[in-house]
Amino acid sequence: MVVVLELDGDDAFDPYSRPKGLEHHSVTFHPEDPNHSEGANISAEAQRPNPNFNNVSKALGCYPIVTQLAQYLDLNTLHALSRTCRQFRANLVQYRTRLVQQTLRCENEPLPNAETNTHQHYSDRRAALISDRASPCARDMVSDCRRCGRIICRNCAHKPPSASLLRMRHRRLCSKCLATPLPQISRHWQDPCACTSSVYLCAPCGTGMNVADTNYLRIWTWRTRYSTYLGGLGTGIGEGNEGVKCWRGEKCMAAQEVEVEIDRSEEGKASDRESSESDTDQHWPEGEGKEERAGYWQTEIEGIGGVVKKKIRKRVRVGKTVKEWEDERDGKDDVLGRESRGEGRSWCGWCGRVVWGKKDRQTYGEEPGVCP
């Protein structure tokens, strides 16, 4: 092959040189070419400042900080964090092995290389029996229970109820709790009930939800059927302190103390769950409660078979009686219809958080984390 060169002038023609006007354009790097220099691939675009290199990305590159952060994230959240930008991924991928080992764990998952004592053994067996699961704890989806705050995985979580039962979770509040601003009645007012989008509860909190919903609705059914308003027997329900109480109980803004009677056996075990509280948590009158003497606040009763039981009277705080609407009495509207339609503020019986009403959305905006 013959190559003809024109040597006239200062500018010599080089057939292997880059054409004019392309000196500043980027060149695609081919790794399979061993003769290609890496330094020649650096272009003006590669030299521009990195907009993602800030204080947050610098913190993610610090090993003590990122390991403490990984303890509060599950694998899905950690993966989503690494996909935020390339700088975040470059900082996290260098500690990938250690971060995966230190992510958030379920409380029912046994610790690795830990001595299993008797208490932990029975605790794990109880958790397995309650949750009714056969697979081990998962690491990809771990979060806290919306009701009690226990850290559980998706395998230990209670099976969420069907969407048709969402309207049964509402509990009515009294007029005082309805008029009180949200920050004063709930510490989770910025994170209200989100059961319409997802229900994430542990097995103990999720057990008995359907039974509690049915019993609460039966209270309203019995109230309407046996009320004097419809010509019933006139049992006195709805009069004085015999109405349906505010669901917030002793935390009600208009709570009041009333006397209740509890049957306690000779061994001191209460048949009602309220009597399982310690003496320090009970509202005993002055000079009474801890003494084992008979009197007005404690009476011995002989039961069936000659068993001696004790009837104890104590003062407890209960919520104020809630309001009953006329259309609900007449049957023109469903029970708790205003709450299920989102017109009034209510309390969720599943997650134990406030459900915003129409006035709350007008005052504080749309509910965060709740699907429309």
Side-chain angles (χ1 to χ4, degrees):
M1 183 179 68
V2 179
V3 178
V4 180
L5 299 178
E6 184 178 359
L7 302 178
D8 296 341
D10 298 334
D11 298 334
F13 175 75
D14 187 2
Y16 301 101
S17 62
R18 185 180 302 174
K20 294 183 179 181
L22 299 179
E23 291 82 356
H24 300 286
H25 285 258
S26 60
V27 180
T28 305
F29 175 68
H30 301 281
E32 64 275 4
D33 188 1
N35 298 325
H36 208 91
S37 176
E38 183 178 359
N41 298 326
I42 301 177
S43 61
E45 295 181 357
Q47 297 296 333
R48 66 182 178 86
N50 187 0
N52 297 322
F53 191 72
N54 48 27
N55 295 333
V56 179
S57 61
K58 293 179 181 179
L60 293 179
C62 182
Y63 180 74
I65 297 179
V66 74
T67 52
Q68 293 293 328
L69 180 63
Q71 298 179 6
Y72 300 93
L73 305 177
D74 56 357
L75 292 180
N76 289 343
T77 309
L78 186 63
H79 177 66
L81 180 63
S82 64
R83 292 173 58 90
T84 304
C85 62
R86 295 184 177 181
Q87 186 63 44
F88 283 17
R89 174 178 171 79
N91 294 341
L92 295 175
V93 74
Q94 56 184 339
Y95 311 122
R96 179 183 180 277
T97 304
R98 298 299 302 272
L99 293 181
V100 170
Q101 298 175 357
Q102 298 180 7
T103 51
L104 191 63
R105 294 176 178 268
C106 178
E107 291 186 359
N108 299 328
E109 180 181 1
L111 297 178
N113 301 328
E115 297 181 359
T116 305
N117 51 22
T118 306
H119 176 73
Q120 181 180 358
H121 175 71
Y122 285 105
S123 178
D124 296 342
R125 287 177 56 86
R126 178 178 177 271
L129 292 175
I130 292 177
S131 59
D132 194 16
R133 61 180 177 86
S135 57
C137 292
R139 299 287 301 279
D140 55 349
M141 185 176 178
V142 183
S143 182
D144 55 339
C145 175
R146 294 283 295 177
R147 188 180 185 92
C148 65
R150 294 181 60 234
I151 304 300
I152 55 174
C153 64
R154 55 180 174 84
N155 293 337
C156 298
H158 187 266
K159 183 180 179 181
S162 60
S164 59
L165 301 177
L166 286 173
R167 59 181 182 84
M168 300 179 62
R169 78 186 195 279
H170 296 278
R171 304 292 188 267
R172 182 162 293 179
L173 301 178
C174 64
S175 57
K176 183 67 175 180
C177 293
L178 294 176
T180 305
L182 284 177
Q184 298 183 15
I185 68 170
S186 175
R187 61 176 182 175
H188 301 290
W189 71 275
Q190 294 181 339
D191 187 16
C193 172
C195 294
T196 55
S197 57
S198 63
V199 181
Y200 199 81
L201 300 174
C202 62
C205 293
T207 304
M209 286 193 312
N210 297 337
V211 177
D213 296 341
T214 304
N215 292 338
Y216 187 75
L217 292 179
R218 285 178 178 176
I219 295 176
W220 291 96
T221 304
W222 187 86
R223 174 188 176 111
T224 304
R225 184 170 300 176
Y226 292 96
S227 176
T228 56
Y229 182 81
L230 297 178
L233 300 178
T235 56
I237 187 169
E239 301 176 359
N241 295 329
E242 299 299 329
V244 180
K245 305 299 180 183
C246 178
W247 187 255
R248 299 188 67 225
E250 60 180 10
K251 297 181 180 180
C252 175
M253 302 302 296
Q256 53 186 351
E257 289 189 357
V258 296
E259 291 184 6
V260 295
E261 294 183 356
I262 298 176
D263 293 335
R264 177 175 295 182
S265 61
E266 189 176 358
E267 291 79 11
K269 296 182 180 180
S271 59
D272 191 79
R273 66 177 182 178
E274 295 181 356
S275 60
S276 62
E277 302 175 354
S278 60
D279 292 338
T280 56
D281 297 335
Q282 299 173 356
H283 299 277
W284 299 99
E286 296 182 1
E288 298 288 344
K290 296 185 179 181
E291 293 81 359
E292 297 295 334
R293 61 185 181 183
Y296 176 78
W297 301 103
Q298 181 171 286
T299 307
E300 293 183 356
I301 301 176
E302 184 176 356
I304 300 176
V307 178
V308 179
K309 296 184 179 180
K310 296 180 181 180
K311 179 186 292 185
I312 298 177
R313 296 183 179 91
K314 69 174 183 178
R315 293 193 181 101
V316 296
R317 291 179 59 85
V318 296
K320 183 182 177 181
T321 304
V322 299
K323 182 179 180 180
E324 182 180 6
W325 301 92
E326 296 295 335
D327 51 0
E328 295 180 354
R329 288 184 176 182
D330 299 338
K332 298 179 181 179
D333 193 6
D334 297 335
V335 177
L336 303 176
R338 289 173 173 80
E339 287 78 4
S340 60
R341 292 190 299 267
E343 298 178 2
R345 181 190 302 175
S346 63
W347 203 264
C348 181
W350 295 355
C351 63
R353 299 177 183 238
V354 64
V355 182
W356 287 14
K358 183 178 180 180
K359 294 183 179 179
D360 298 330
R361 290 189 292 269
Q362 295 176 355
T363 305
Y364 303 100
E366 294 296 330
E367 296 182 66
V370 178
C371 297

